[in-house]
Amino acid sequence: MIRRRVVVRGTVQGVFFRASCQQEAARHGVAGWVSNRPDGAVEAVFEGEDAAVEALVAWCRQGPPRAAVDAVEVAEEELEGLRGFGVR
């Protein structure tokens, strides 16, 4: 089990990034949350099996069809034992 915090920059707000991310997380069985940031980026936290979390991080590099991802920052964090996946 691992935890990653991801900040995605580019055209990522107003393109269903959060809703699509929530669907991907459910598909992979990953817990956490995703949120729009005031600076125009999207921030997310993923917790789960290594391969599932890495799949979500990889998905963030492209995002949903209307997104244009310019950069993705990924940070390792300590597990908190999150359950479910929320949109903030």
Short mmCIF file of all heavy atoms in Angstrom, two decimals, residues 3 5 13 17-19 21-22 31-38 41-47 77 80 82-88:
data_model
loop_
_atom_site.label_atom_id
_atom_site.label_comp_id
_atom_site.label_asym_id
_atom_site.label_seq_id
_atom_site.Cartn_x
_atom_site.Cartn_y
_atom_site.Cartn_z
N ARG A 3 0.86 5.84 -0.76
CA ARG A 3 0.10 7.09 -0.85
C ARG A 3 0.90 8.07 -1.68
O ARG A 3 2.11 8.22 -1.50
CB ARG A 3 -0.14 7.66 0.55
CG ARG A 3 -0.82 9.03 0.57
CD ARG A 3 -0.92 9.53 2.00
NE ARG A 3 -1.33 10.92 2.07
CZ ARG A 3 -2.52 11.33 2.51
NH1 ARG A 3 -3.42 10.46 2.92
NH2 ARG A 3 -2.80 12.62 2.56
N ARG A 5 0.60 12.18 -3.35
CA ARG A 5 -0.09 13.46 -3.53
C ARG A 5 0.33 13.97 -4.90
O ARG A 5 1.53 14.02 -5.22
CB ARG A 5 0.29 14.47 -2.45
CG ARG A 5 -0.41 15.82 -2.61
CD ARG A 5 -0.08 16.76 -1.48
NE ARG A 5 -0.46 16.19 -0.20
CZ ARG A 5 -1.63 16.38 0.41
NH1 ARG A 5 -2.55 17.13 -0.17
NH2 ARG A 5 -1.87 15.83 1.59
N GLN A 13 -9.21 22.51 -14.94
CA GLN A 13 -10.46 22.87 -14.26
C GLN A 13 -11.51 23.18 -15.31
O GLN A 13 -11.21 23.74 -16.36
CB GLN A 13 -10.24 24.06 -13.32
CG GLN A 13 -9.38 23.71 -12.13
CD GLN A 13 -9.34 24.82 -11.08
OE1 GLN A 13 -10.12 25.75 -11.11
NE2 GLN A 13 -8.40 24.69 -10.15
N PHE A 17 -12.25 17.03 -14.86
CA PHE A 17 -11.09 16.32 -14.34
C PHE A 17 -11.41 15.61 -13.03
O PHE A 17 -11.10 14.43 -12.86
CB PHE A 17 -9.90 17.27 -14.14
CG PHE A 17 -8.58 16.58 -14.05
CD1 PHE A 17 -7.72 16.56 -15.12
CD2 PHE A 17 -8.17 15.94 -12.88
CE1 PHE A 17 -6.49 15.91 -15.05
CE2 PHE A 17 -6.96 15.29 -12.79
CZ PHE A 17 -6.12 15.28 -13.89
N ARG A 18 -12.05 16.32 -12.09
CA ARG A 18 -12.33 15.73 -10.78
C ARG A 18 -13.29 14.55 -10.88
O ARG A 18 -13.05 13.50 -10.29
CB ARG A 18 -12.86 16.78 -9.81
CG ARG A 18 -11.82 17.83 -9.44
CD ARG A 18 -12.38 18.88 -8.52
NE ARG A 18 -13.49 19.57 -9.19
CZ ARG A 18 -14.43 20.26 -8.56
NH1 ARG A 18 -14.42 20.36 -7.25
NH2 ARG A 18 -15.37 20.87 -9.23
N ALA A 19 -14.37 14.71 -11.64
CA ALA A 19 -15.34 13.62 -11.77
C ALA A 19 -14.72 12.42 -12.47
O ALA A 19 -14.93 11.27 -12.06
CB ALA A 19 -16.57 14.10 -12.55
N CYS A 21 -11.53 11.66 -12.49
CA CYS A 21 -10.55 11.10 -11.56
C CYS A 21 -11.26 10.21 -10.54
O CYS A 21 -10.77 9.12 -10.22
CB CYS A 21 -9.81 12.24 -10.87
SG CYS A 21 -8.48 11.70 -9.78
N GLN A 22 -12.42 10.65 -10.06
CA GLN A 22 -13.18 9.85 -9.10
C GLN A 22 -13.60 8.51 -9.74
O GLN A 22 -13.51 7.46 -9.10
CB GLN A 22 -14.41 10.62 -8.63
CG GLN A 22 -15.19 9.91 -7.55
CD GLN A 22 -16.37 10.73 -7.06
OE1 GLN A 22 -17.05 11.38 -7.86
NE2 GLN A 22 -16.60 10.71 -5.77
N ALA A 31 -8.41 4.80 -2.73
CA ALA A 31 -9.04 5.76 -1.83
C ALA A 31 -8.35 7.11 -1.94
O ALA A 31 -7.22 7.20 -2.44
CB ALA A 31 -8.96 5.25 -0.39
N GLY A 32 -9.02 8.16 -1.45
CA GLY A 32 -8.41 9.48 -1.43
C GLY A 32 -9.39 10.57 -1.76
O GLY A 32 -10.58 10.47 -1.48
N TRP A 33 -8.88 11.62 -2.39
CA TRP A 33 -9.71 12.76 -2.75
C TRP A 33 -9.06 13.55 -3.89
O TRP A 33 -7.88 13.39 -4.16
CB TRP A 33 -9.96 13.67 -1.56
CG TRP A 33 -8.74 14.14 -0.82
CD1 TRP A 33 -8.18 13.56 0.27
CD2 TRP A 33 -7.89 15.25 -1.15
NE1 TRP A 33 -7.06 14.25 0.66
CE2 TRP A 33 -6.87 15.30 -0.19
CE3 TRP A 33 -7.92 16.22 -2.14
CZ2 TRP A 33 -5.87 16.27 -0.22
CZ3 TRP A 33 -6.93 17.19 -2.17
CH2 TRP A 33 -5.92 17.21 -1.21
N VAL A 34 -9.87 14.40 -4.53
CA VAL A 34 -9.39 15.30 -5.58
C VAL A 34 -10.08 16.64 -5.40
O VAL A 34 -11.25 16.71 -5.02
CB VAL A 34 -9.64 14.70 -6.98
CG1 VAL A 34 -11.11 14.49 -7.26
CG2 VAL A 34 -8.98 15.54 -8.07
N SER A 35 -9.33 17.73 -5.67
CA SER A 35 -9.86 19.07 -5.41
C SER A 35 -9.27 20.08 -6.39
O SER A 35 -8.11 19.96 -6.79
CB SER A 35 -9.49 19.48 -3.98
OG SER A 35 -9.90 20.78 -3.70
N ASN A 36 -10.09 21.08 -6.76
CA ASN A 36 -9.57 22.22 -7.51
C ASN A 36 -8.82 23.13 -6.55
O ASN A 36 -9.25 23.33 -5.42
CB ASN A 36 -10.71 23.02 -8.14
CG ASN A 36 -11.27 22.36 -9.39
OD1 ASN A 36 -10.66 21.49 -9.98
ND2 ASN A 36 -12.46 22.79 -9.78
N ARG A 37 -7.70 23.67 -7.01
CA ARG A 37 -6.94 24.63 -6.20
C ARG A 37 -7.19 26.03 -6.72
O ARG A 37 -7.49 26.22 -7.90
CB ARG A 37 -5.44 24.30 -6.29
CG ARG A 37 -5.09 23.03 -5.56
CD ARG A 37 -3.66 22.59 -5.70
NE ARG A 37 -2.68 23.64 -5.90
CZ ARG A 37 -1.43 23.57 -5.46
NH1 ARG A 37 -1.01 22.51 -4.80
NH2 ARG A 37 -0.58 24.54 -5.70
N PRO A 38 -7.04 27.04 -5.85
CA PRO A 38 -7.27 28.42 -6.28
C PRO A 38 -6.33 28.88 -7.41
O PRO A 38 -6.67 29.77 -8.17
CB PRO A 38 -7.00 29.25 -5.02
CG PRO A 38 -7.14 28.30 -3.89
CD PRO A 38 -6.77 26.94 -4.41
N ALA A 41 -4.78 24.77 -10.59
CA ALA A 41 -4.34 23.37 -10.64
C ALA A 41 -5.39 22.46 -10.00
O ALA A 41 -6.34 22.93 -9.37
CB ALA A 41 -3.01 23.21 -9.92
N VAL A 42 -5.20 21.17 -10.15
CA VAL A 42 -5.99 20.16 -9.46
C VAL A 42 -5.04 19.39 -8.56
O VAL A 42 -3.93 19.02 -8.99
CB VAL A 42 -6.70 19.21 -10.45
CG1 VAL A 42 -7.30 18.01 -9.74
CG2 VAL A 42 -7.79 19.94 -11.21
N GLU A 43 -5.45 19.15 -7.32
CA GLU A 43 -4.64 18.39 -6.36
C GLU A 43 -5.40 17.13 -5.99
O GLU A 43 -6.62 17.16 -5.83
CB GLU A 43 -4.39 19.23 -5.12
CG GLU A 43 -3.50 18.56 -4.10
CD GLU A 43 -3.15 19.50 -2.96
OE1 GLU A 43 -3.74 20.59 -2.85
OE2 GLU A 43 -2.27 19.14 -2.17
N ALA A 44 -4.68 16.03 -5.85
CA ALA A 44 -5.32 14.77 -5.48
C ALA A 44 -4.41 13.97 -4.56
O ALA A 44 -3.18 14.10 -4.61
CB ALA A 44 -5.64 13.94 -6.72
N VAL A 45 -5.02 13.14 -3.73
CA VAL A 45 -4.31 12.20 -2.88
C VAL A 45 -4.86 10.81 -3.20
O VAL A 45 -6.08 10.62 -3.25
CB VAL A 45 -4.50 12.53 -1.39
CG1 VAL A 45 -4.02 11.39 -0.52
CG2 VAL A 45 -3.76 13.81 -1.04
N PHE A 46 -3.96 9.88 -3.45
CA PHE A 46 -4.33 8.51 -3.76
C PHE A 46 -3.70 7.56 -2.76
O PHE A 46 -2.50 7.66 -2.49
CB PHE A 46 -3.83 8.11 -5.16
CG PHE A 46 -4.29 9.02 -6.26
CD1 PHE A 46 -3.37 9.55 -7.16
CD2 PHE A 46 -5.62 9.33 -6.43
CE1 PHE A 46 -3.77 10.37 -8.19
CE2 PHE A 46 -6.04 10.16 -7.47
CZ PHE A 46 -5.11 10.68 -8.35
N GLU A 47 -4.48 6.62 -2.23
CA GLU A 47 -3.98 5.56 -1.35
C GLU A 47 -4.51 4.23 -1.84
O GLU A 47 -5.69 4.11 -2.16
CB GLU A 47 -4.45 5.76 0.09
CG GLU A 47 -3.75 6.85 0.82
CD GLU A 47 -4.05 6.87 2.32
OE1 GLU A 47 -4.78 5.98 2.82
OE2 GLU A 47 -3.52 7.76 3.00
N GLU A 77 3.91 10.16 0.36
CA GLU A 77 3.50 10.53 1.71
C GLU A 77 3.23 9.26 2.52
O GLU A 77 3.09 8.18 1.96
CB GLU A 77 2.23 11.40 1.67
CG GLU A 77 2.44 12.74 1.01
CD GLU A 77 1.23 13.65 1.09
OE1 GLU A 77 0.13 13.17 1.43
OE2 GLU A 77 1.40 14.84 0.82
N GLU A 80 -2.46 7.21 5.48
CA GLU A 80 -3.38 7.65 6.54
C GLU A 80 -4.52 6.66 6.73
O GLU A 80 -5.32 6.81 7.64
CB GLU A 80 -3.95 9.03 6.21
CG GLU A 80 -2.96 10.15 6.35
CD GLU A 80 -3.60 11.52 6.14
OE1 GLU A 80 -4.84 11.61 6.08
OE2 GLU A 80 -2.85 12.49 6.02
N LEU A 82 -7.05 6.10 4.42
CA LEU A 82 -8.28 6.68 3.89
C LEU A 82 -9.21 5.60 3.34
O LEU A 82 -8.76 4.56 2.89
CB LEU A 82 -7.95 7.68 2.76
CG LEU A 82 -7.11 8.89 3.15
CD1 LEU A 82 -6.80 9.71 1.91
CD2 LEU A 82 -7.82 9.73 4.17
N ARG A 83 -10.50 5.91 3.37
CA ARG A 83 -11.52 5.01 2.79
C ARG A 83 -12.39 5.82 1.86
O ARG A 83 -12.74 6.96 2.16
CB ARG A 83 -12.36 4.39 3.90
CG ARG A 83 -11.58 3.52 4.83
CD ARG A 83 -12.52 2.71 5.75
NE ARG A 83 -11.78 1.95 6.72
CZ ARG A 83 -11.18 0.79 6.50
NH1 ARG A 83 -11.22 0.27 5.29
NH2 ARG A 83 -10.54 0.16 7.45
N GLY A 84 -12.73 5.23 0.75
CA GLY A 84 -13.56 5.92 -0.22
C GLY A 84 -12.78 6.98 -0.97
O GLY A 84 -11.60 7.22 -0.71
N PHE A 85 -13.44 7.60 -1.93
CA PHE A 85 -12.78 8.64 -2.74
C PHE A 85 -13.75 9.80 -2.90
O PHE A 85 -14.88 9.62 -3.37
CB PHE A 85 -12.36 8.11 -4.11
CG PHE A 85 -11.40 9.01 -4.81
CD1 PHE A 85 -10.04 8.84 -4.66
CD2 PHE A 85 -11.86 10.06 -5.60
CE1 PHE A 85 -9.13 9.69 -5.29
CE2 PHE A 85 -10.97 10.92 -6.24
CZ PHE A 85 -9.61 10.72 -6.08
N GLY A 86 -13.33 10.99 -2.49
CA GLY A 86 -14.21 12.15 -2.53
C GLY A 86 -13.74 13.24 -3.46
O GLY A 86 -12.56 13.36 -3.76
N VAL A 87 -14.70 14.03 -3.91
CA VAL A 87 -14.42 15.23 -4.69
C VAL A 87 -14.64 16.40 -3.75
O VAL A 87 -15.71 16.53 -3.15
CB VAL A 87 -15.35 15.34 -5.92
CG1 VAL A 87 -15.13 16.67 -6.64
CG2 VAL A 87 -15.10 14.17 -6.86
N ARG A 88 -13.64 17.24 -3.62
CA ARG A 88 -13.74 18.40 -2.72
C ARG A 88 -13.92 19.66 -3.52
O ARG A 88 -13.52 19.77 -4.64
CB ARG A 88 -12.47 18.52 -1.86
CG ARG A 88 -12.28 17.34 -0.96
CD ARG A 88 -11.05 17.55 -0.13
NE ARG A 88 -10.93 16.51 0.89
CZ ARG A 88 -9.90 16.38 1.68
NH1 ARG A 88 -8.88 17.20 1.62
NH2 ARG A 88 -9.86 15.42 2.58
#
